[in-house]
């Protein structure tokens, strides 16, 4: 029987613990009450610093709550980091035993599962080599293999899937799905919405230490994606002082036709630019550059290089729609810089990093796997055909 | 309901019954949690085993170092304190006298130093998975005990070369004396480990503490040099009873007396309790401050 019933009223504070409750205290978690039923796979979603890790650490007893209460029925296994307790000087075999026992397995359990663990890791040839001589990939595979064979009623898992190469990630995800299918209770934290969606039944959304939504996993993911307008606006208004040449008055980022700053991979993206010009013009020249977080320009377009529509009668104001289609952007944060001018080679209004948006991972192909963001800056929708 | 399966023994604390755990804030005087320590004892064995394996990994002489270390110091001390300073040695050759003191002292001091650093070294694991943390500073004490046992065993033939053959009876009391030293080292080590995690200054302070403590113990000089009226006070240092007892057991020097050894043992027990309770109290915020 594995279930967590956690009527948290208020939980741990970061930093010093003292009896006085001054206003300078920051609560890592507050008003976070929820229940997880036996053999349910429960996702915990939230931004960095929302309190997800604190919640997992409280439930696995790594940190102690300042106040509040949790009731846990069944044996808890914690997987917050792959390779917890691994020691570089010890051999692979020794580390399986050491890490396994730190995670809470008995010697007999490890012995019983030893072959399975080694088989899963694929490092049997190097079992008697100190792990300090392992490659990173081998090390991670062995470490995950130990964790994946932990026999617990309740598994508390934090992002451990994000290890190794694509092939091993697939194996990890498959193993997690198998664990979930065995009727074990799982609490799962991840930034990877694709993984959360494919693994979890129910979820909760955490924001600054509070649970803002609990329920069906699709509902929670949808809520999480929509509710970030506080960070930045999908609309930007420009001050338009009188000047030579056309000026932008406002610009909007559109996802599937609606203003948005968070989009899922593969969503249809659009930009709408409103402009004003003292001198009437036939063809406003407009362009954009999408820049990733590292500052690299990854996408751009400008109607000065392609055949462009034109206003039959010159206008002094109007709106331009840029339809980008389904952009092959990897998950991450991007900014959009906008350029407007009245003649090729002359920009009368440059708005660098005017709009901001975030691309979130989505299970594009129903495999639970996203494209490998280490391989390229863009993913490309490609059809594969096999023939003899 | 697999959680009641007796073979399964994940670290659980104050559970309502065997399968239900209630996580609550702890206030007031800490509990030692002996039940939990007992349940997870196999993990303690693993920690000790790991300590031993790592310590002698990639050394050529391996376990011989446990005696070579005190013997090297013995040579220096025999020259400086025995020859130059002419410190008396209760009627046995000074090198033998100081070697026995050094074997006992080396166990105590390296156990304290290893325990002090253990928690900082493993701060990462402590933040990633729960297990009884008291095992972390206690494991180096236990692995040190094993080293001490080997050192004593190796020392007996060395002493035999000096025509010093101990009688078997008193020798059997040695484990008890080393347990007293281990208790003191565990208390001091656990306390310092928790302090060291909070204030890294202790890393620099502990070597001085250990050095001072050595000269406050009868390592290079005999207890008979201490004025008689102060000996029982002197025995509040647990290592006084331990070292004097070891010399009596191995070298046949005059017996230290029940009162002196008793005071040292009691003092070790008090240190053990203070250290462990302090550790358990500090454990509440350990992950936050580490």
């Amino acid at each position: 029987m594995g279930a967590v019933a956690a009527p948290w009223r208020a939980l741990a504070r970061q930093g010093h613990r003292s009896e006085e409750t001054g206003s300078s205290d920051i609560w890592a978690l507050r008003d976070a009450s929820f229940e997880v039923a036996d053999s349910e796979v429960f996702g915990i979603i939230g931004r960095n610093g929302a309190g997800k890790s604190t919640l997992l650490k409280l439930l696995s007893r790594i940190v102690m709550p300042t106040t509040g209460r949790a009731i846990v029925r069944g044996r808890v296994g914690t997987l917050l980091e792959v390779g917890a307790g691994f020691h570089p000087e010890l051999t692979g075999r020794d580390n399986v035993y050491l890490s396994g026992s730190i995670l809470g397995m008995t010697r007999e359990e490890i012995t019983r599962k030893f072959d399975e663990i080694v088989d899963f890791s694929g490092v049997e040839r190097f079992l008697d080599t100190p792990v300090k001589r392992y490659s990173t990939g081998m090390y991670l595979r062995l470490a995950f293999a130990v964790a994946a064979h932990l026999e617990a009623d309740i598994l508390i898992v934090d992002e451990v899937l994000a290890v190794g190469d694509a092939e091993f990630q697939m194996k990890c995800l498959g193993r997690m799905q198998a664990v979930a299918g065995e009727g074990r209770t799982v609490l799962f934290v991840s930034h990877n919405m694709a993984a959360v969606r494919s693994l979890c039944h129910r979820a909760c959304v955490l924001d600054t230490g509070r649970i803002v939504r609990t329920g069906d996993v699709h509902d929670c993911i949808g809520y999480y994606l929509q509710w970030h307008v506080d960070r930045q606006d999908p609309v930007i208004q420009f001050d338009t002082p009188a000047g030579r040449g056309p000026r932008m008055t406002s610009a909007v980022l559109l996802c599937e036709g609606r203003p948005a700053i968070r989009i899922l991979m593969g969503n249809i993206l659009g930009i709408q630019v409103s402009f004003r010009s003292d001198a009437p013009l036939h063809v406003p020249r407009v362009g954009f550059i999408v820049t990733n977080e590292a500052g690299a320009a990854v996408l751009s377009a400008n109607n000065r290089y392609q055949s462009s529509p034109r206003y039959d009668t010159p206008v002094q104001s109007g709106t331009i729609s840029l339809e980008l289609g389904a952009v092959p952007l990897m998950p991450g944060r991007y900014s959009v810089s906008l350029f407007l001018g009245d003649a090729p080679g002359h920009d009368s209004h440059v708005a660098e990093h005017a709009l901001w948006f975030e691309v979130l991972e989505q299970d594009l192909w129903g495999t639970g796997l996203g494209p490998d963001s280490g391989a390229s800056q863009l993913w490309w929708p490609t059809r594969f055909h096999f023939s003899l | 309901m697999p959680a009641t399966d007796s073979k399964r023994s994940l670290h659980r604390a104050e559970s309502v019954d065997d399968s239900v755990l209630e996580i609550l804030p702890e206030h007031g005087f800490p509990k030692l949690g002996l039940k939990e320590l007992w349940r997870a004892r196999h993990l303690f064995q693993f920690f000790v085993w790991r300590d031993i394996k790592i310590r002698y990994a990639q050394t050529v002489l391996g376990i011989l170092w446990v005696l070579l270390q005190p013997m090297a110091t013995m040579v220096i001390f025999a020259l400086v304190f025995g020859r130059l300073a002419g410190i008396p040695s209760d009627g046995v050759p000074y090198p033998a006298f100081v070697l026995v003191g050094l074997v006992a002292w080396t166990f105590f001091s390296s156990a304290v130093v290893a325990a002090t650093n253990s928690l900082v070294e493993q701060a990462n694991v402590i933040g990633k998975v729960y297990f009884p943390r008291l095992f972390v500073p206690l494991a180096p004490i236990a692995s040190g005990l094993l080293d001490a046992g080997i050192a004593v065993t190796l020392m007996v033939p060395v002493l035999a070369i000096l025509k010093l053959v101990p009688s078997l009876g008193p020798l059997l009391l040695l484990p008890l004396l080393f347990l007293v030293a281990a208790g003191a080292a565990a208390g001091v080590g656990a306390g310092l480990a928790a302090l060291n995690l909070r204030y890294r200054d202790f890393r620099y302070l502990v070597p001085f503490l250990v050095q001072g403590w050595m000269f406050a113990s009868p390592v290079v000089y005999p207890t008979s040099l201490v004025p008689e009226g102060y000996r029982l006070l002197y025995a509040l240092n647990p290592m006084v009873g331990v070292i004097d007892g070891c010399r009596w057991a191995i070298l046949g020097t005059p017996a230290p007396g029940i009162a002196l050894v008793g005071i040292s043992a009691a003092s070790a027990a008090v240190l053990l309790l203070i250290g462990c309770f302090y550790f358990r109290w500090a454990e509440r915020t350990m992950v936050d401050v580490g």
Side-chain angles (χ1 to χ4, degrees):
Chain A
M1 181 173 82
V4 188
W8 295 99
R9 210 164 26 77
L11 294 169
R13 264 179 291 170
Q14 282 171 339
H16 300 278
R17 216 163 295 214
S18 52
E19 293 309 315
E20 76 267 16
T21 45
S23 56
S24 61
D25 285 333
I26 294 162
W27 290 83
L29 272 181
R30 266 221 113 135
D31 302 317
S33 293
F34 64 97
E35 250 179 77
V36 179
D38 191 1
S39 64
E40 188 166 68
V41 183
F42 191 80
I44 297 164
I45 309 170
R47 272 188 284 142
N48 285 335
K52 305 186 299 287
S53 296
T54 307
L55 180 58
L56 293 196
K57 285 185 174 184
L58 280 162
L59 291 176
S60 42
R61 295 177 60 208
I62 293 164
V63 298
M64 194 174 283
T66 314
T67 168
R69 187 169 84 112
I71 294 171
V72 183
R73 293 171 212 278
R75 207 171 93 144
V76 179
T78 310
L79 308 178
L80 298 193
E81 188 181 75
V82 169
F86 262 53
H87 197 287
E89 295 285 350
L90 295 178
T91 65
R93 184 188 307 277
D94 290 348
N95 269 307
V96 169
Y97 276 92
L98 184 67
S99 180
S101 58
I102 287 177
L103 291 174
M105 283 191 261
T106 62
R107 195 191 306 259
E108 298 76 53
E109 273 173 356
I110 302 167
T111 306
R112 184 149 39 83
K113 296 221 153 190
F114 190 81
D115 292 340
E116 220 179 307
I117 291 171
V118 171
D119 198 41
F120 187 88
S121 71
V123 300
E124 47 272 70
R125 280 177 51 213
F126 307 100
L127 269 185
D128 295 306
T129 307
V131 295
K132 66 178 175 187
R133 307 206 199 286
Y134 279 30
S135 70
T136 314
M138 279 160 62
Y139 179 92
L140 289 176
R141 287 210 300 275
L142 186 63
F144 182 85
V146 179
H149 291 82
L150 183 59
E151 275 186 20
D153 307 313
I154 304 163
L155 274 179
I156 296 183
V157 185
D158 188 1
E159 301 257 25
V160 287
L161 289 177
V163 300
D165 51 26
E167 191 192 346
F168 191 69
Q169 275 188 31
M170 182 119 95
K171 213 171 165 184
C172 295
L173 195 72
R175 176 72 199 169
M176 291 310 300
Q177 249 150 355
V179 167
E182 283 167 11
R184 235 94 65 83
T185 307
V186 182
L187 267 77
F188 183 65
V189 160
S190 178
H191 289 289
N192 181 339
M193 290 301 133
V196 172
R197 203 190 298 264
S198 70
L199 280 176
C200 302
H201 318 131
R202 282 176 69 240
C204 69
V205 182
L206 269 175
D207 181 39
T208 57
R210 285 163 205 271
I211 287 189
V212 290
R213 193 135 183 140
T214 318
D216 173 70
V217 67
H218 300 283
D219 177 55
C220 282
I221 291 175
Y223 180 79
Y224 172 66
L225 299 183
Q226 285 310 307
W227 129 97
H228 264 283
V229 199
D230 59 311
R231 292 283 299 261
Q232 206 130 358
D233 217 287
V235 181
I236 183 166
Q237 307 284 345
F238 297 106
D239 293 330
T240 53
R244 293 162 53 82
R247 315 269 315 169
M248 290 180 270
T249 53
S250 69
V252 195
L253 189 83
L254 300 168
C255 170
E256 305 280 340
R258 285 206 304 272
I261 59 153
R262 293 192 154 221
I263 69 164
L264 290 173
M265 292 172 76
N267 279 173
I268 306 284
L269 204 62
I271 303 168
Q272 211 166 57
V273 178
S274 299
F275 69 93
R276 212 172 59 191
S277 175
D278 290 337
L281 44 85
H282 282 286
V283 185
R285 298 290 172 179
V286 66
F288 71 88
I289 296 177
V290 173
T291 310
N292 69 10
E293 237 175 327
V298 288
L299 291 176
S300 69
N302 197 312
N303 68 343
R304 90 175 45 141
Y305 307 121
Q306 52 195 85
S307 63
S308 172
R310 51 183 287 132
Y311 290 105
D312 292 335
T313 326
V315 295
Q316 281 186 293
S317 70
T319 299
I320 308 160
S321 287
L322 296 87
E323 291 170 10
L324 280 69
V327 289
L329 291 173
M330 290 289 181
R333 287 155 55 101
Y334 296 89
S335 72
V336 184
S337 300
L338 295 166
F339 307 85
L340 185 74
D342 53 3
H346 178 249
D347 290 323
S348 52
H349 188 181
V350 175
E352 286 195 75
H353 309 295
L355 294 168
W356 172 97
F357 69 97
E358 187 168 0
V359 177
L360 297 152
E361 193 149 356
Q362 132 150 293
D363 193 359
L364 286 161
W365 304 293
T367 56
L369 291 172
D372 181 3
S373 55
S376 64
Q377 297 204 346
L378 301 174
W379 57 274
W380 206 257
T382 304
R383 285 180 187 281
F384 294 88
H385 295 286
F386 287 173
S387 59
L388 284 174
Chain B
M1 204 155 85
T4 52
D5 186 336
S6 62
K7 271 193 171 171
R8 304 188 155 199
S9 68
L10 217 91
H11 334 298
R12 261 186 243 110
E14 304 94 271
S15 28
V16 182
D17 69 50
D18 230 29
S19 63
V20 179
L21 168 73
E22 190 169 17
I23 300 170
L24 286 169
E26 275 179 29
H27 301 291
F29 201 75
K31 293 186 198 107
L32 273 186
L34 291 178
K35 218 164 125 190
E36 189 190 13
L37 293 180
W38 177 249
R39 267 204 195 112
R41 62 190 178 281
H42 73 281
L43 182 62
F44 185 69
Q45 292 163 12
F46 270 118
F47 279 169
V48 175
W49 163 82
R50 173 188 64 182
D51 264 15
I52 295 165
K53 274 213 159 180
I54 292 164
R55 194 143 4 121
Y56 299 108
Q58 291 194 352
T59 63
V60 178
L61 296 176
I63 204 78
L64 284 179
W65 278 114
V66 299
L67 189 62
L68 289 178
Q69 249 176 326
M71 278 181 73
T73 317
M74 173 196 79
V75 172
I76 299 165
F77 282 10
L79 283 174
V80 176
F81 297 110
R83 273 291 155 81
L84 292 179
I87 292 175
S89 52
D90 283 347
V92 293
Y94 189 85
F97 171 87
V98 86
L99 180 63
V100 173
L102 276 170
V103 165
W105 177 256
T106 305
F107 159 65
F108 178 78
S109 64
S110 30
V112 167
V113 171
T116 303
N117 296 329
S118 62
L119 207 54
V120 171
E121 282 161 12
Q122 291 180 58
N124 182 45
V125 187
I126 288 168
K128 295 297 178 191
V129 62
Y130 178 81
F131 56 85
R133 278 76 173 255
L134 206 45
F135 284 166
V136 174
L138 294 189
I141 313 275
S143 60
L145 264 182
L146 191 87
D147 283 358
I150 293 163
V152 169
T153 314
L154 293 173
M155 182 169 61
V156 170
V158 171
L159 290 176
I161 299 168
L162 297 168
K163 306 265 188 307
L164 290 160
V165 182
S167 47
L168 196 64
L171 214 51
L172 291 175
L173 286 173
L174 268 183
L176 282 180
L177 291 166
F178 271 92
L179 272 185
V180 171
V188 174
L192 287 175
L195 281 168
N196 191 29
L197 189 69
R198 188 86 162 82
Y199 310 99
R200 297 292 152 84
D201 312 67
F202 278 87
R203 183 147 60 106
Y204 304 102
L205 283 170
V206 166
F208 293 107
L209 175 90
V210 168
Q211 200 171 41
W213 198 325
M214 186 187 86
F215 288 108
S217 312
V219 177
V220 299
Y221 59 86
T223 301
S224 52
L225 277 193
V226 176
E228 199 146 3
Y230 291 101
R231 288 213 189 129
L232 294 184
L233 189 68
Y234 182 57
L236 281 176
N237 171 1
M239 289 313 286
V240 170
V242 171
I243 294 175
D244 281 357
C246 287
R247 286 203 178 116
W248 162 75
I250 299 171
L251 300 173
T253 55
I258 284 292
L260 188 127
V261 176
I263 287 173
S264 284
S267 171
V270 170
L271 282 175
L272 176 66
L273 287 176
I274 292 175
C276 290
F277 276 113
Y278 173 73
F279 185 94
R280 290 287 290 163
W281 178 80
E283 195 180 336
R284 291 172 186 169
T285 56
M286 205 164 261
V287 173
D288 301 324
V289 301

